[in-house]
Amino acid sequence: MTSDYTEVFQDTEAVEKYETVTYAPDSYASRINERQREYLRALVRREFVEHPPVQHDFACGTGRAIRALHGLVREAHGYDTSAEMMTKAAEVGSRAYWHRVAGDGPVPQPVAAGFPAIVTIFRLLLNVHEGVRDRALAFAAKVLPHRGSGLLVVENHGNAGSVRHLRARRHDGERWFAELSHAQVEQLLERHGFEIVERRGFSMLTPSLHDNRMARLADSAARWLPGSDGYAVNVLYTARRIHG
C-alpha cells in the first residue's frame, strides 16, 4: 500500500470504477475472481476441517477475498489504507470488521482473534515497492506465528513467466507493466519464514484476449495441465510458516 495507492483510492470515483468496471460481470478480472473463489473455498474446506478459521485480509479493498469465504470463516477482518474502499466493501455486502491502517511506519498489529487463521493478500504485491511487500508479509507473520497457526494465500497478478511477458519482448523488450517472477515471490515468502505448499494459476490469457472465444476455451483447458501455473498470468501461492 504505497502513497500512490492511498491517494488513488481516496477518490470515490476511482473506487466505484474499480468495483463496477474492472470487476464488471464477465470481465477479465471477474472471471479470474470466480475461479479464485472456487479455489479458496475448496482450500478452506480441505484444510480447516475441525474448526473454521478467522480471516485476515490485508489490503482488503472492496472485500472480494472476504466475500469469497463468506460462510466458511468464524469471522473476518479487513485491513486497508483507504476508508473509501472499505466503505464500498460494506456497501456491496462484504461482511467483516474493518480496520484502517497507515500506509507506512510500523507493521500494523492484527486483531487478536485466535487460531486457526487464514491471511489473504490479493492485488497488492505487484504494484508496490519492496518495502511495502515486506510490510505485508511481516503482518502475515504476526497473524501466523507458527506452522500450525493456519495458511497464507498471496496473489501475483503479473507473473513474469507468462504470455504477457512474451508480448513485452515483441516491443523491443520494453516493459510497460509490473511483473513478479515465481522466484521473487518465493524469496519474499522465505524471507518472512513462509514456504509455498501449493501454487495455482488462474488464467494464461492477457486482457486483450479475453473476448476471443477460442482463446477462452483453450485457456479453460490448458490451465488444468500439469505445470501450466508456471505460465499463467495470475497465480495464487498458498504457504505455511516454515518452523514451529
Side-chain angles (χ1 to χ4, degrees), residues 169-236:
R169 294 178 64 86
R170 295 208 307 272
H171 291 77
D172 299 323
E174 194 173 319
R175 192 176 69 172
W176 69 95
F177 45 72
E179 292 182 312
L180 278 175
S181 68
H182 293 314
Q184 287 175 298
V185 176
E186 184 175 9
Q187 290 164 8
L188 173 65
L189 292 171
E190 287 182 351
R191 192 156 67 239
H192 292 275
F194 290 94
E195 65 175 352
I196 296 169
V197 295
E198 188 170 27
R199 192 176 77 184
R200 182 69 62 87
F202 292 89
S203 180
M204 298 174 72
L205 298 182
T206 59
S208 62
L209 291 171
H210 172 70
D211 292 328
N212 185 307
R213 183 173 179 274
M214 293 305 296
R216 284 167 65 162
L217 289 172
D219 178 56
S220 294
R223 67 190 177 90
W224 296 108
L225 296 175
S228 64
D229 56 298
Y231 303 99
V233 175
N234 185 285
V235 182
L236 290 186

Side-chain angles (χ1 to χ4, degrees), residues 131-171:
V132 177
R133 293 173 189 153
D134 278 315
R135 193 164 177 264
L137 267 294
F139 172 87
K142 281 188 172 186
V143 178
L144 303 169
H146 53 81
R147 192 170 182 83
S149 303
L151 292 174
L152 166 65
V153 183
V154 175
E155 180 185 32
N156 172 12
H157 62 293
N159 169 29
S162 69
V163 173
R164 190 176 76 149
H165 176 79
L166 299 178
R167 287 188 63 213
R169 294 178 64 86
R170 295 208 307 272
H171 291 77

Side-chain angles (χ1 to χ4, degrees), residues 7-230:
E7 290 168 8
V8 167
F9 290 114
Q10 299 297 337
D11 179 67
T12 54
E13 289 185 9
V15 172
E16 187 68 23
K17 180 179 178 181
Y18 180 80
E19 180 64 22
T20 61
V21 177
T22 301
Y23 281 96
D26 201 38
S27 67
Y28 176 76
S30 67
R31 287 183 67 85
I32 290 175
N33 178 70
E34 289 167 6
R35 294 172 180 176
Q36 290 177 337
R37 180 181 183 277
E38 291 176 5
Y39 172 77
L40 284 174
R41 293 184 73 81
L43 175 72
V44 168
R45 288 189 178 106
R46 183 181 76 228
E47 297 293 336
F48 300 95
V49 177
E50 294 185 9
H51 303 287
V54 174
Q55 182 180 13
H56 298 264
D57 190 24
F58 193 73
C60 61
T62 59
R64 202 156 295 276
I66 288 170
R67 294 200 299 276
L69 292 179
H70 276 175
L72 294 181
V73 298
R74 190 162 71 251
E75 60 186 73
H77 296 269
Y79 307 80
D80 205 285
T81 60
S82 170
E84 286 76 11
M85 277 290 216
M86 292 186 288
T87 296
K88 174 57 68 174
E91 286 178 3
V92 299
S94 303
R95 299 190 297 273
Y97 298 98
W98 309 108
H99 311 278
R100 190 175 185 185
V101 297
D104 52 22
V107 176
Q109 189 65 32
V111 173
F115 302 113
I118 181 168
V119 178
T120 45
I121 304 175
F122 280 41
R123 296 185 73 90
L124 174 70
L125 301 187
L126 190 64
N127 295 312
V128 296
H129 58 74
E130 196 70 16
V132 177
R133 293 173 189 153
D134 278 315
R135 193 164 177 264
L137 267 294
F139 172 87
K142 281 188 172 186
V143 178
L144 303 169
H146 53 81
R147 192 170 182 83
S149 303
L151 292 174
L152 166 65
V153 183
V154 175
E155 180 185 32
N156 172 12
H157 62 293
N159 169 29
S162 69
V163 173
R164 190 176 76 149
H165 176 79
L166 299 178
R167 287 188 63 213
R169 294 178 64 86
R170 295 208 307 272
H171 291 77
D172 299 323
E174 194 173 319
R175 192 176 69 172
W176 69 95
F177 45 72
E179 292 182 312
L180 278 175
S181 68
H182 293 314
Q184 287 175 298
V185 176
E186 184 175 9
Q187 290 164 8
L188 173 65
L189 292 171
E190 287 182 351
R191 192 156 67 239
H192 292 275
F194 290 94
E195 65 175 352
I196 296 169
V197 295
E198 188 170 27
R199 192 176 77 184
R200 182 69 62 87
F202 292 89
S203 180
M204 298 174 72
L205 298 182
T206 59
S208 62
L209 291 171
H210 172 70
D211 292 328
N212 185 307
R213 183 173 179 274
M214 293 305 296
R216 284 167 65 162
L217 289 172
D219 178 56
S220 294
R223 67 190 177 90
W224 296 108
L225 296 175
S228 64
D229 56 298

